[in-house]
Amino acid sequence: DGILKIGNSVEKIGFRAFTSCAKLTGDIIIPDSVKSIGNESFLSNKGFDGDFYICSGMASIPSRTFEGCVNIKSIEVNSENQTYYAKGNCLISREAKELIFGCKNSVIPQDDGILKILSSGRAPAAISNLSQSRLGIASFTPAPVVVVTLTI
């Protein structure tokens, strides 16, 4: 396993920068210098099979950024990040209460008031009693979903 570690001088990861890079495996570590990620930057990277770590300064992650990254094991966000946080291995926007991305070990937190699940790379492993929800197109493809109970 390897690690994709972006250099500390990088401020933005562009549109489709690492799309379909089949030989990239292991962890994804995005440093504090990166403030935004372009749409589909990591699209269809099934090789990433480790942890995904988001830095403190990350302010923009489009919903399709990690679509098709179905083997990521965990999602972590620096506790000083003002825009996003991770809970239950889900990437969640603080202000909008949107679940941006889930990995193969994600479980949607029941106590965080999540209002919307965006189209993302992987459906959380278990979804239960998600009230007042709105689901993005293709929110749960191609992943198998273990439990779905939506209370609206």
Side-chain angles (χ1 to χ4, degrees):
D1 287 334
I3 295 175
L4 172 63
K5 185 172 182 181
I6 310 297
N8 289 328
S9 63
V10 176
E11 294 180 3
K12 180 180 180 181
I13 298 172
F15 173 75
R16 291 192 169 195
F18 298 101
T19 294
S20 300
C21 293
K23 295 188 180 197
L24 292 176
T25 63
D27 299 340
I28 303 170
I29 298 173
I30 299 175
D32 289 333
S33 61
V34 176
K35 306 297 182 222
S36 67
I37 298 178
N39 200 18
E40 300 179 4
S41 295
F42 295 93
L43 183 73
S44 300
N45 278 309
K46 295 177 183 169
F48 287 123
D49 56 1
D51 302 321
F52 172 58
Y53 177 79
I54 296 177
C55 62
S56 61
M58 180 65 61
S60 175
I61 302 174
S63 64
R64 293 195 66 208
T65 300
F66 302 101
E67 187 172 304
C69 294
V70 297
N71 292 312
I72 291 175
K73 292 179 187 171
S74 71
I75 298 171
E76 297 177 42
V77 177
N78 184 302
S79 61
E80 295 177 15
N81 188 296
Q82 299 297 306
T83 308
Y84 302 102
Y85 69 98
K87 189 168 182 183
N89 284 313
C90 295
L91 175 62
I92 303 165
S93 67
R94 291 184 186 277
E95 188 173 317
K97 294 291 186 187
E98 294 174 334
L99 190 150
I100 306 294
F101 176 68
C103 67
K104 68 181 185 178
N105 296 317
S106 294
V107 177
I108 295 177
Q110 298 300 302
D111 56 349
D112 280 33
I114 295 171
L115 300 175
K116 184 175 182 180
I117 300 173
L118 299 179
S119 301
S120 60
R122 179 82 181 189
I127 300 168
S128 178
N129 299 324
L130 182 61
S131 60
Q132 298 177 346
S133 65
R134 296 185 340 197
L135 305 178
I137 296 170
S139 291
F140 302 117
T141 57
V145 176
V146 178
V147 177
V148 177
T149 305
L150 299 177
T151 307
I152 299 176

